[in-house]
C-alpha cells in the first residue's frame, strides 16, 4: 500500500475521553449513488402466479399489501389478501439480468387456444413465465395488519434474520426468516384485559424495542423479553386536549432513534421522545386516516401519506407546525395503504397510486420529476433497494365481480389486446403482481473543499 493511500487516524478529546476519527485520504473522494429521473424502469423479475389463485379467505382477488426490502437488501417481503407472508431472495444475477420482454402478461397456459403465428412469436412461453419464486411462505392466520423487518437484520448473522407481523385476532409474531417458523410472540391487552392485535409495527434502529400501535395507545415491547411485558404509552385521554385520538395506524423511528412518529386514522401525527415517551409535537393536515409516516435520513423532515387523500405532506419537525410543501398522488378514492419510500441518498421519494403508475418527487422542492405507468392495477407498494440500482413494486386491489355488465376488453385496462396480421386476441393482464425493476444511477462526487464551485461532479456508474 502506498503511503498516500494509508488511512490516517487522529484522536480528539481530553485525557478522560478520546474519540478515534477516520480521515479519508485525498485519493478517495466521498461519493454517493443517485437515481436519475425521468427514466423508464426496466423489468427484471416478476411473481404473478403466486397471487393469481383465489382462496376462500380472499374471494375478491388476492391483491398484495406492499413490499419491503430487508435492511441488508438480500431479500424482500410481501403480504397478500390470502393471509400469507412471502419472502423472496434477490437473484444473484440481478446486476446483469436481462430485461423481461412483456412483464404485463399472465403466465403462459399450454391448454389455451392456439394463436396466430405472429402472435405466438411475439408472446412466447418464456416471455410470460414467472422468474421470481418465493423462498419462504408464512401463514399469518388472519388478515395481516402490518409487517416489518428486524432493523438490524443481516444475512451474515442468522440470529438477526427475523421479521415481525401483526394480524387480526393474533399477537405480534416474530418469524424466523431462515426457516419460516415463529420464534416468539408479543401479546398486548386492552383495558378489560382482553388480547388485542396491533395495527402497526416498528423496530427501533438499535433493534432493542418493538413498538405496536393500538387503539389510543402505543405498546413498547422489549425484543429480548417476549410475552405480555410491555410499557403502555397512552396517546389520547378525554381531558387531555393535546393528544392524538384514534387507532395508531402507522409508526416510524428517526434514523438516530431519538424520536418516533405515530400516525392515527383520525389524521393526526404525534412526535414522541423515544427515551421518555413524552409527546413533543402534534401535526395535522391530512384529510384522511394516515397510512404511512417516514423520516428523512437526517431526521429533520417527516413525510406523511393518508387514505382517501391525494396529498402527501412534508413537515419540518424542528421549527414549524405548518407543512413545508405537499405532493400529489392518485389516492383520493381508496382506503388502501399506498406505500412510498425515500431513496437511500435522500434525493427522491417514490410512491404508487391507483392509476397503475409510480410517481417520483424531488424532495428538495417537492416537485414531480417522473411518472411511469407500470401496472394494470393499483400500485400499492414501491421501495428502493438499500444499495443496488433496483426498485420493487407491488400491485393489486380488492375487486368485486360485476355480473350485470360483462364489459368491453377494448376499454378494460386489465386486458391487453394483441393484433397480428389483422387477427386479434385478448391477453389478460395480471392485476396482482410483484416486480423488480432496474433504474440507472449516477455516482455523485462530493465537491472538494478547495473548489470554488458548489456543484457536485457526476460520472455515470451504469452503462
Amino acid at each position: 500500500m502506498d503511503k498516500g493511500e494509508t488511512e490516517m487516524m487522529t484522536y480528539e478529546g481530553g485525557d478522560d475521553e478520546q474519540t478515534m476519527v477516520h480521515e479519508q485520504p485525498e485519493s478517495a473522494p466521498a461519493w454517493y449513488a443517485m437515481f436519475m429521473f425521468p427514466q423508464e424502469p426496466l423489468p427484471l423479475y416478476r411473481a404473478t402466479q403466486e397471487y393469481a389463485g383465489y382462496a376462500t379467505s380472499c374471494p375478491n382477488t388476492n391483491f398484495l399489501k406492499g413490499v419491503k426490502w430487508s435492511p441488508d437488501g438480500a431479500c424482500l417481503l410481501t403480504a397478500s389478501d390470502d393471509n400469507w407472508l412471502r419472502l423472496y431472495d434477490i437473484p444473484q444475477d440481478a446486476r446483469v439480468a436481462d430485461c423481461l420482454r412483456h412483464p404485463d402478461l399472465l403466465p403462459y397456459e399450454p391448454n389455451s387456444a392456439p394463436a396466430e403465428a405472429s402472435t405466438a412469436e411475439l408472446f412466447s412461453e418464456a416471455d410470460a413465465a414467472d422468474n421470481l419464486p418465493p423462498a419462504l411462505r408464512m401463514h399469518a392466520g388472519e388478515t395481516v395488519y402490518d409487517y416489518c423487518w428486524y432493523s438490524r437484520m443481516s444475512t451474515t448473522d442468522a440470529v438477526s434474520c427475523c421479521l415481525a407481523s401483526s394480524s387480526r385476532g393474533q399477537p405480534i409474531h416474530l418469524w424466523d426468516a431462515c426457516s419460516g417458523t415463529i420464534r416468539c410472540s408479543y401479546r398486548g391487552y386492552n383495558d378489560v384485559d382482553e388480547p388485542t392485535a396491533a395495527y402497526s409495527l416498528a423496530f427501533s434502529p438499535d433493534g432493542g424495542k418493538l413498538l405496536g400501535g393500538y387503539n389510543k395507545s402505543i405498546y413498547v415491547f422489549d425484543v429480548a423479553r417476549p410475552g405480555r411485558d410491555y410499557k403502555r404509552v397512552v396517546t389520547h385521554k378525554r381531558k387531555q386536549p393535546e393528544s392524538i385520538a384514534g387507532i395508531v395506524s402507522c409508526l416510524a423511528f428517526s434514523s438516530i432513534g431519538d424520536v418516533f412518529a405515530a400516525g392515527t386514522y383520525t389524521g393526526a401525527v404525534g412526535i414522541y421522545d423515544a427515551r421518555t415517551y413524552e409527546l413533543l409535537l402534534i401535526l395535522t393536515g391530512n384529510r384522511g386516516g394516515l397510512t404511512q409516516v417516514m423520516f428523512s435520513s437526517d431526521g429533520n423532515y417527516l413525510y406523511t401519506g393518508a387514505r382517501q387523500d391525494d396529498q402527501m405532506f412534508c413537515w419540518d419537525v424542528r421549527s414549524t407546525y405548518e407543512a413545508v410543501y405537499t405532493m400529489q398522488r392518485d389516492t383520493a378514492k381508496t382506503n388502501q395503504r399506498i406505500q412510498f419510500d425515500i431513496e437511500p441518498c435522500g434525493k427522491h421519494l417514490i410512491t404508487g397510486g391507483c392509476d397503475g403508475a409510480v410517481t417520483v418527487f424531488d424532495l428538495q422542492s417537492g416537485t414531480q420529476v417522473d411518472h411511469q405507468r407500470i401496472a394494470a392495477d393499483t400500485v400499492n407498494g414501491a421501495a428502493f433497494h438499500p444499495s443496488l440500482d433496483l426498485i420493487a413494486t407491488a400491485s393489486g386491489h380488492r375487486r368485486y365481480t360485476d355480473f350485470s355488465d360483462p364489459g368491453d376488453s377494448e376499454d378494460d385496462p386489465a386486458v391487453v389486446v394483441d393484433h397480428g396480421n389483422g387477427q386479434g386476441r385478448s391477453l389478460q393482464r395480471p392485476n396482482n403482481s410483484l416486480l423488480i425493476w432496474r433504474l440507472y444511477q449516477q455516482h455523485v462526487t462530493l465537491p472538494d473543499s478547495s473548489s470554488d464551485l458548489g456543484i457536485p461532479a457526476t460520472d455515470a456508474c451504469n452503462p
Side-chain angles (χ1 to χ4, degrees):
M1 180 179 295
D2 295 337
K3 183 177 179 180
E5 297 177 353
T6 304
E7 185 180 29
M8 300 178 61
M9 290 177 286
T10 60
Y11 291 83
E12 296 181 349
D15 296 334
D16 297 335
E17 181 180 1
Q18 289 186 341
T19 303
M20 184 171 65
V21 180
H22 296 266
E23 296 182 353
Q24 283 190 332
E26 295 182 359
S27 59
W31 60 272
Y32 62 91
M34 182 178 69
F35 290 103
M36 305 303 295
F37 295 101
Q39 63 168 301
E40 184 176 354
L42 304 177
L44 303 180
Y45 305 98
R46 76 168 200 168
T48 58
Q49 203 160 11
E50 276 289 318
Y51 310 100
Y54 300 164
T56 56
S57 59
C58 55
N60 302 303
T61 75
N62 186 23
F63 61 93
L64 283 83
K65 299 180 178 181
V67 57
K68 298 183 180 181
W69 289 102
S70 60
D72 64 350
C75 45
L76 52 83
L77 182 66
T78 68
S80 52
D81 200 41
D82 60 358
N83 307 333
W84 284 84
L85 298 164
R86 291 175 174 85
L87 186 148
Y88 297 84
D89 290 331
I90 181 173
Q92 296 183 356
D93 62 345
R95 295 301 302 269
V96 296
D98 294 331
C99 298
L100 298 177
R101 292 179 59 190
H102 302 285
D104 58 352
L105 299 182
L106 283 174
Y108 179 79
E109 297 181 3
N111 296 329
S112 59
E116 296 294 327
S118 61
T119 306
E121 180 182 355
L122 184 62
F123 301 107
S124 64
E125 179 178 359
D127 292 332
D130 284 357
N131 60 352
L132 187 65
L136 281 177
R137 298 181 182 90
M138 295 158 282
H139 192 246
E142 281 288 348
T143 301
V144 178
Y145 287 151
D146 198 7
Y147 58 98
C148 63
W149 286 100
Y150 179 61
S151 57
R152 307 286 290 179
M153 182 268 185
S154 173
T155 52
T156 59
D157 182 11
V159 176
S160 68
C161 294
C162 57
L163 55 104
S165 72
S166 178
S167 305
R168 182 176 59 190
Q170 302 278 341
I172 300 172
H173 291 314
L174 188 70
W175 300 84
D176 191 308
C178 297
S179 62
T181 58
I182 296 176
R183 288 187 181 179
C184 60
S185 299
Y186 304 88
R187 303 180 182 276
Y189 291 79
N190 58 19
D191 293 334
V192 293
D193 205 35
E194 294 176 342
T196 183
Y199 294 91
S200 55
L201 300 171
F203 281 101
S204 60
D206 62 3
K209 300 175 183 176
L210 173 60
L211 301 188
Y214 294 80
N215 186 23
K216 302 179 184 178
S217 299
I218 299 171
Y219 293 178
V220 184
F221 296 92
D222 187 338
V223 175
R225 299 184 63 183
R228 65 173 298 171
D229 292 335
Y230 56 84
K231 176 181 177 58
R232 183 180 181 185
V233 181
V234 178
T235 59
H236 176 70
K237 294 180 179 179
R238 290 184 178 179
K239 297 183 180 180
Q240 185 178 353
E242 294 188 358
S243 60
I244 53 174
I247 294 173
V248 179
S249 55
C250 48
L251 293 162
F253 274 93
S254 66
S255 57
I256 302 176
D258 55 344
V259 296
F260 66 87
T264 66
Y265 280 137
T266 60
V269 184
I271 310 296
Y272 289 83
D273 190 310
R275 297 176 293 268
T276 63
Y277 305 106
E278 177 187 359
L279 179 62
L280 305 175
L281 183 66
I282 297 178
L283 304 172
T284 57
N286 288 97
R287 296 189 298 270
L290 288 165
T291 55
Q292 186 178 357
V293 291
M294 190 174 189
F295 280 95
S296 61
S297 56
D298 59 5
N300 294 331
Y301 298 92
L302 179 70
Y303 301 91
T304 62
R307 63 186 185 182
Q308 296 283 347
D309 191 350
D310 60 354
Q311 289 186 326
M312 293 185 297
F313 284 74
C314 171
W315 307 88
D316 187 337
V317 299
R318 298 168 297 178
S319 59
T320 180
Y321 287 82
E322 295 183 358
V324 180
Y325 55 77
T326 60
M327 298 168 283
Q328 298 288 131
R329 61 176 180 173
D330 188 8
T331 54
K333 298 180 180 180
T334 181
N335 284 319
Q336 192 172 5
R337 288 178 181 259
I338 305 298
Q339 175 189 351
F340 62 84
D341 192 26
I342 297 176
E343 186 180 1
C345 72
K347 174 65 174 176
H348 299 104
L349 180 146
I350 188 170
T351 180
C354 296
D355 55 355
V358 289
T359 307
V360 182
F361 297 92
D362 187 331
L363 292 184
Q364 186 173 2
S365 59
T367 57
Q368 179 179 314
V369 295
D370 203 356
H371 184 80
Q372 297 286 343
R373 176 75 180 271
I374 64 168
D377 208 338
T378 299
V379 178
N380 55 63
F384 288 105
H385 191 277
S387 56
L388 299 180
D389 53 348
L390 305 173
I391 63 170
T393 61
S395 62
H397 73 272
R398 182 173 284 108
R399 290 177 175 270
Y400 298 94
T401 303
D402 186 3
F403 296 100
S404 60
D405 182 12
D408 186 1
S409 61
E410 293 285 351
D411 301 327
D412 189 353
V415 173
V416 182
V417 180
D418 170 63
H419 301 278
N421 294 334
Q423 301 293 330
R425 70 170 180 137
S426 296
L427 301 170
Q428 185 70 24
R429 276 178 147 175
N431 295 324
N432 315 312
S433 61
L434 170 68
L435 285 162
I436 297 178
W437 311 75
R438 179 188 294 135
L439 291 173
Y440 289 126
Q441 288 180 321
Q442 281 190 347
H443 282 170
V444 180
T445 304
L446 296 179
D448 187 9
S449 59
S450 61
S451 175
D452 295 332
L453 297 177
I455 302 175
T458 62
D459 63 285
C461 68
N462 291 100

